Amino acid sequence: MDKREMGWKKIEELAGKSGIDSMKAVEEFSPRLAKLALEFGYGDVYADDQLDLKQRALVTLSSLITQGDPGRGLSYHFRAALNVGLKQEQILEVINHCSAYAGFPKSIHALHIFKDVLSQDETTN
């Protein structure tokens, strides 16, 4: 399987149909960026077997929270984390833990995004 195919496979494992739809939207607007994300991000980084998808979700959320992601990436990866089996309480603890490293404003911002994700998922389920 080439890295592009592996990338699509990992996106599906991680985020399901919404992940596929999201990447297809990127691909429509910027095929080059989609190629980089698919082949490197998902087909190489996410495909390595040293960490499982739950562990990768924890690392990704920690990184996005401490960077102060404005929301789109966090929303996507909060959903992905739930999709791969992380529990709401575990995600909340990641947010809490990041407050020691990123500060309360970034953690509280992430908390609001997570709350929005949970409320959206409740209305769509």
Side-chain angles (χ1 to χ4, degrees):
M1 181 176 306
D2 69 13
K3 287 187 179 192
R4 180 178 173 78
E5 291 175 75
M6 179 59 79
W8 283 115
K9 180 179 183 271
K10 285 297 170 184
I11 289 172
E12 187 170 24
E13 284 179 48
L14 186 67
K17 183 182 179 330
S18 67
I20 297 290
D21 291 346
S22 180
M23 185 55 70
K24 284 184 178 181
V26 171
E27 192 172 46
E28 272 183 38
F29 196 70
S30 178
R32 173 117 170 94
L33 183 57
K35 180 181 189 298
L36 292 168
L38 275 168
E39 292 178 8
F40 175 67
Y42 291 100
D44 191 1
V45 174
Y46 267 90
D48 189 273
D49 63 0
Q50 295 302 306
L51 298 174
D52 64 29
L53 288 179
K54 284 184 182 181
Q55 292 166 322
R56 289 183 188 284
L58 292 170
V59 171
T60 301
L61 290 176
S62 298
S63 179
L64 291 171
I65 292 166
T66 58
Q67 290 177 61
D69 181 86
R72 190 173 191 118
L74 270 173
S75 294
Y76 175 89
H77 284 284
F78 279 140
R79 283 186 185 91
L82 291 166
N83 190 54
V84 299
L86 286 177
K87 303 213 178 322
Q88 179 177 332
E89 295 78 13
Q90 292 172 307
I91 295 170
L92 286 170
E93 187 53 32
V94 169
I95 294 169
N96 294 341
H97 189 84
C98 286
S99 69
Y101 297 91
F104 287 103
K106 288 178 181 176
S107 291
I108 291 170
H109 174 74
L111 179 70
H112 287 291
I113 293 168
F114 187 46
K115 184 178 173 196
D116 288 346
V117 164
L118 292 174
S119 69
Q120 291 167 4
D121 287 350
E122 287 173 5
T123 60
T124 58
N125 289 335

